[in-house]
Amino acid sequence: MTDFLASATSRRDFVRTLSLGAGATLVGANAMAGPLGWLAGAPAADRQLGVALVGLGSYSAGQLAPALQQTKRCRLAGIVTGTPAKAAQWKQQYNIPDANVYDYKTFDRMIDNPAIDIVYVVLPNALHAEYVVRAAQAGKHVICEKPLATSAADARRMVAAVQQAGKQFSVGYRLHFEPHNQEMMRLGQREVFGPVRHLAADNGFRLSTPSWRVDRALSGGGPLMDMGIYCVQGCLYTKGQVPVSVTAKFIPNPDPKLFKNVEAGLDWQFQFADGAVADCRTRYTENMEGRLRAEGPQGWAELTPAFGYGGLAGNTSQNDGRLNLPNINQQAAQMDDFADCILRNRPTRVPGEMGLRDVQLLAAIYRAAETGQRVSTKDVLQLIDRTNAGKGLPK
């Protein structure tokens, strides 16, 4: 991501505040009910789709590019970077032709390149909207990293742009394709321990040096916009509901110089319609394992760690307690699934609308912390991933 930052600040004014979108409409929500589009016919299943990574920061270099060497339905076909040295390195390392290498000024020429089917936006949060819209206008399917945007208005604009282009739009929610988190979906949504009454989630790390993550103009906020969104996601796909309200508070700021315009940490509680609650924490001041726990009247389940790229593990109150599930390449599974959605004309389980939902919830959390009041989430999109939760598994 850092290759973009030198030129980004002078290019545009970044959104500095979040806004909770009211009355948003979910277009195509029925698509989440089941993957039916492929019945109309699909291109050859063995075709690989070309992916262009936009922004060659640590996530692209350390996770996405290696994962694209393991995918079956897609491949690394192009790159977008503002750093010539990175372009040269990636071209050599991944055998990328000159015609598939772009910078941020030549980005729009991608419209004439049939070798690139999917654009994956991996830039600081405030840049997501611009490059998703431009990718859609270039006629490409789009994946965007989380959080989708720094405002609900931008998120809606992104969703509309991809819809208008007639392309598919997915958020980089890799854990929806990960076995341990899929099992939490099954246990919670199928009420294996009875209705989930309490959830707990925490995620964070100790940040000691300045970066774009603590620049509100680029990040849109502090750890909530980075690590806390995993807690939001985990609680919703485990409970199988969108909360009806939220309360929140900021932690004391231990370093006003480093955290001069973003929070150092935040605690919040979601309240659900059936009386269940979810207690969540996120920090840039503490190395947290990343935990997701659900409790019902007949038992509990917990993942610790829950949100990392690997090494996930879990226990339940059932049987011997251990979840004997594989750790997989999450990014490869995520990108292969999206390519399959395109090839078979079926909906993604993590659409742009889900990203909009979460941006609305992040805004509500911030509003609750800023006001000290309970904030209603009645206008948040009512969207839950149920497509594969426990598919084929008995209750």
Side-chain angles (χ1 to χ4, degrees):
M1 295 181 184
T2 55
D3 65 294
F4 192 93
L5 301 186
S7 60
T9 304
S10 62
R11 286 175 48 92
R12 56 174 290 180
D13 293 326
F14 298 110
V15 178
R16 291 180 178 270
T17 57
L18 284 158
S19 61
L20 178 63
T25 301
L26 173 59
V27 180
N30 290 337
M32 294 302 291
L36 302 178
W38 65 271
L39 290 173
D46 58 352
R47 179 188 169 202
Q48 281 192 318
L49 301 184
V51 177
L53 298 178
V54 184
L56 305 184
S58 60
Y59 190 61
S60 286
Q63 303 298 327
L64 296 178
L68 282 162
Q69 311 313 302
Q70 300 183 32
T71 47
K72 297 178 180 179
R73 299 196 179 278
C74 51
R75 61 185 178 86
L76 178 58
I79 53 174
V80 181
T81 177
T83 307
K86 283 189 178 182
Q89 174 195 339
W90 280 64
K91 281 197 304 181
Q92 180 178 16
Q93 183 175 357
Y94 293 109
N95 194 29
I96 299 172
D98 288 341
N100 294 359
V101 177
Y102 300 87
D103 61 26
Y104 298 103
K105 293 179 180 178
T106 61
F107 179 94
D108 305 291
R109 297 179 189 171
M110 213 179 290
I111 193 171
D112 298 317
N113 192 340
I116 295 172
D117 302 284
I118 300 168
V119 168
Y120 197 145
V121 178
V122 200
L123 293 167
N125 304 338
L127 300 174
H128 290 177
E130 176 183 349
Y131 283 90
V132 166
V133 171
R134 287 172 68 179
Q137 291 171 343
K140 306 303 179 183
H141 302 281
V142 187
I143 308 173
C144 183
E145 264 309 304
K146 53 79 189 165
L148 187 63
T150 55
S151 73
D154 269 355
R156 283 193 289 270
R157 181 163 63 91
M158 295 156 75
V159 169
V162 182
Q163 288 176 345
Q164 184 175 0
K167 298 298 178 180
Q168 291 234 32
F169 187 18
S170 179
V171 189
Y173 286 148
R174 55 188 166 79
L175 294 174
H176 287 252
F177 308 93
E178 191 284 316
H180 295 79
N181 283 271
Q182 288 181 337
E183 178 65 355
M184 289 295 286
M185 294 181 198
R186 184 187 77 86
L187 293 171
Q189 292 186 27
R190 297 217 171 178
E191 300 184 353
V192 172
F193 304 118
V196 174
R197 308 305 302 158
H198 181 255
L199 298 113
D202 58 64
N203 200 27
F205 67 94
R206 188 176 298 279
L207 180 66
S208 58
T209 57
S211 74
W212 70 268
R213 288 179 168 82
V214 289
D215 181 350
R216 182 176 290 275
L218 290 170
S219 63
L224 180 63
M225 298 291 288
D226 182 17
M227 308 300 286
I229 192 169
Y230 291 102
C231 302
V232 170
Q233 275 260 304
C235 290
L236 268 64
Y237 59 62
T238 300
K239 176 64 176 171
Q241 294 178 22
V242 175
V244 296
S245 60
V246 60
T247 53
K249 63 179 181 179
F250 297 115
I251 69 167
N253 188 344
D255 189 343
K257 184 177 180 180
L258 181 60
F259 305 113
K260 61 184 176 181
N261 61 7
V262 302
E263 77 277 5
L266 195 149
D267 299 337
W268 74 96
Q269 184 186 79
F270 284 139
Q271 295 89 33
F272 295 90
D274 63 358
V277 297
D279 292 304
C280 304
R281 302 187 307 141
T282 189
R283 300 283 189 276
Y284 274 158
T285 59
E286 180 183 345
N287 291 321
M288 297 175 162
E289 285 190 281
R291 178 179 65 124
L292 176 60
R293 182 180 176 89
E295 300 170 356
Q298 282 91 50
W300 55 268
E302 180 176 309
L303 300 183
T304 308
F307 308 123
Y309 301 146
L312 276 58
N315 292 276
T316 78
S317 56
Q318 276 187 340
N319 303 324
D320 63 359
R322 296 194 62 178
L323 293 180
N324 294 312
L325 297 168
N327 274 274
I328 65 170
N329 188 310
Q330 301 164 14
Q331 290 83 2
Q334 168 208 326
M335 289 187 285
D336 263 344
D337 187 85
F338 187 57
D340 190 70
C341 288
I342 295 166
L343 289 167
R344 298 184 181 277
N345 191 28
R346 65 177 177 87
T348 172
R349 62 191 299 179
V350 286
E353 290 91 343
M354 183 177 287
L356 169 58
R357 177 202 73 184
D358 294 339
V359 170
Q360 291 176 311
L361 287 170
L362 296 174
I365 295 168
Y366 276 128
R367 187 177 298 174
E370 290 162 358
T371 63
Q373 303 296 315
R374 184 185 300 264
V375 170
S376 170
T377 57
K378 64 182 177 63
D379 293 317
V380 171
L381 290 183
Q382 299 296 303
L383 178 63
I384 292 292
D385 176 9
R386 303 188 193 280
T387 51
N388 261 348
K391 183 178 180 180
L393 296 173
K395 182 174 177 180

